[in-house]
Amino acid sequence: MAGAEHRLKFALLVLGAVHLVGFCIVKYGETVGIAGRLYPDGTPVGGDFINLWTTAKLILADRTADIYQVGRFMAYERTFVDGADIGLRLWAYPPLSLLFVWPFGLLGYYAALAVWSAIGLIVLTTGARRFGFDRLEIAILLTSPATLLNLYFGQTGSLATGLLLLALSPRPGRDPVSATAGALLTIKPQFGFLLPLLWAFQGRWRMIAWTAVIVIGLIALAAALFGPEPWRDYLNDTLPTLGTLERAGSGPFMTMIPSMFMSLRIVTGNSSLASSVHAGFAALVLIVLVIRFWQVKDGVRRSAMLLIATVLMTPYLHNYDLALLLCGALLMVRRFGSREGPASFFAGFLVIAAWALPQIVVLLNAIGAPISPLLILPLLLLA
């Protein structure tokens, strides 16, 4: 590793440690006032993990039909917080997810939260190691703001990033690990939707076929165990509710999304215009990605492009999902670690920005200067 690259990555590790200490100090007051499963401000400990735990409890109670009926889901969830108003809550993941979340209902809330958090970190670490990140790079990922926020909000960003890295690291011949990881990403499709494109450029047709077979098998198993009703309710109730929230809802979540869609929604207040412009922007990013895939044969660089393009093209990615972006940035900086001059300096600036974006996006969106897509786009062009 070149000296400049090593210094940059060591600085990111130090920044991660400082950020971790500062975050704990800021949030300490919340832990002192925890009552039951709620922070003093009335939000659940572990953030959205309460949705996963509620889903698991409903499965074990043989009330699967209530999971994707948003009103029924929220009514049941509130029984775990003594009826407190914890805002709009729903289980946003497709019924395939029900195959995997039910064991968490066998545990108490805090034990389940600890296991869930550990699984996310383990999958992220395993995916990073298999992909080829070194120890320093993995340490940067694990201490980054994105990973810390993912833990705080009880979210799936670390798990999905780890699965995507596993899918991006196929071994010669049949590789059930990569195929299975790609299939599991259908639970969070905004992470894995570009995988078939990359595999097609790589000529990995068997990987595409095996992944499709696993997905079909999981869908069939979920339908056999839970029936067709969850799929119907997911499409007719949960997804429309989620879409309405993203297009017309307001609140802190708007500051957490670094997409072109949310940037334009904040600036113009017009969700239809924001959706149309984002669609055009995503199409341009896709065109650039295809051209770069055609020009660049190196597998690592192609993976970096895919990681960064995924963040740019997805309208609803949140700040706790941005370990995805940091992975792409760390791969990009490898190209410039041995160079001197403006290009190396600019690459270093972009990597630091990608590392800090999970926190920066909140500030930028809150003050009406949502320029996050402009900070991300150069990464794609340099990768």
Side-chain angles (χ1 to χ4, degrees):
M1 184 185 298
E5 181 183 350
H6 180 81
R7 287 193 296 272
L8 173 61
K9 291 179 178 178
F10 184 76
L12 290 176
L13 184 60
V14 173
L15 286 172
V18 173
H19 176 267
L20 174 60
V21 172
F23 189 88
C24 291
I25 292 173
V26 170
K27 298 297 183 181
Y28 175 74
E30 294 181 357
T31 63
V32 173
I34 289 174
R37 300 183 180 95
L38 298 178
Y39 288 123
D41 64 359
T43 59
V45 177
D48 288 334
F49 174 75
I50 195 170
N51 299 333
L52 186 150
W53 194 67
T54 298
T55 299
K57 288 291 187 182
L58 283 168
I59 295 171
L60 294 176
D62 198 24
R63 294 179 56 180
T64 308
D66 292 345
I67 293 173
Y68 295 107
Q69 291 281 344
V70 176
R72 295 179 185 177
F73 181 88
M74 291 176 59
Y76 184 72
E77 186 171 61
R78 286 173 179 164
T79 65
F80 298 123
V81 292
D82 298 325
D85 183 5
I86 54 175
L88 176 63
R89 300 277 169 174
L90 48 79
W91 183 241
Y93 302 94
L96 285 181
S97 63
L98 305 184
L99 296 170
F100 308 102
V101 302
W102 63 267
F104 292 95
L106 300 172
L107 302 173
Y109 185 79
Y110 285 100
L113 176 59
V115 171
W116 171 247
S117 301
I119 289 173
L121 293 176
I122 290 169
V123 174
L124 177 60
T125 302
T126 302
R129 289 184 62 183
R130 191 176 200 260
F131 182 85
F133 284 106
D134 62 34
R135 292 180 180 179
L136 180 56
E137 290 168 330
I138 293 173
I140 291 169
L141 283 173
L142 294 179
T143 58
S144 69
T147 301
L148 183 58
L149 288 172
N150 184 82
L151 288 170
Y152 180 75
F153 288 111
Q155 268 291 342
T156 57
S158 294
L159 175 65
T161 299
L163 289 173
L164 183 53
L165 292 174
L166 288 171
L168 287 171
S169 57
R171 301 302 189 250
R174 296 179 181 178
D175 187 353
V177 173
S178 290
T180 301
L184 291 177
L185 280 172
T186 56
I187 295 174
K188 194 162 182 171
Q190 64 266 45
F191 267 62
F193 69 97
L194 288 174
L195 271 174
L197 176 66
L198 175 62
W199 286 343
F201 267 90
Q202 294 174 334
R204 297 184 182 274
W205 305 109
R206 287 187 178 182
M207 186 68 69
I208 295 174
W210 277 111
T211 302
V213 168
I214 295 171
V215 171
I216 292 170
L218 291 174
I219 292 173
L221 180 59
L225 292 176
F226 307 117
E229 290 81 8
W231 292 96
R232 179 198 63 203
D233 294 337
Y234 175 69
L235 295 173
N236 295 333
D237 193 348
T238 296
L239 280 185
T241 301
L242 186 62
T244 299
L245 172 66
E246 299 289 359
R247 291 191 304 272
S250 61
F253 82 94
M254 292 182 66
T255 67
M256 300 165 66
I257 299 177
S259 69
M260 180 63 73
F261 165 78
M262 189 55 69
S263 296
L264 289 170
R265 200 187 145 200
I266 290 170
V267 171
T268 68
N270 187 327
S271 60
S272 296
L273 175 63
S275 296
S276 298
V277 175
H278 180 92
F281 176 73
L284 288 175
V285 170
L286 180 60
I287 292 171
V288 171
L289 183 65
V290 169
I291 294 173
R292 298 299 309 282
F293 277 177
W294 190 270
Q295 295 173 335
V296 176
K297 307 304 180 183
D298 180 76
V300 173
R301 289 185 62 189
R302 282 178 167 179
S303 294
M305 295 172 199
L306 180 144
L307 291 163
I308 298 163
T310 297
V311 177
L312 287 168
M313 293 178 66
T314 302
Y316 304 132
L317 210 69
H318 290 71
N319 60 347
Y320 46 70
D321 295 318
L322 290 179
L324 189 71
L325 179 65
L326 180 56
C327 288
L330 289 173
L331 294 176
M332 182 276 294
V333 80
R334 292 180 180 181
R335 294 188 60 214
F336 298 90
S338 60
R339 303 182 187 181
E340 299 292 340
S344 179
F345 178 82
F346 184 54
F349 167 78
L350 291 176
V351 173
I352 293 172
W355 176 90
L357 192 61
Q359 295 289 16
I360 292 176
V361 65
V362 176
L363 174 62
L364 292 175
N365 287 11
I367 65 175
I371 61 171
S372 297
L374 301 181
L375 296 175
I376 301 170
L377 185 59
L379 287 167
L380 177 62
L381 302 177
L382 291 176

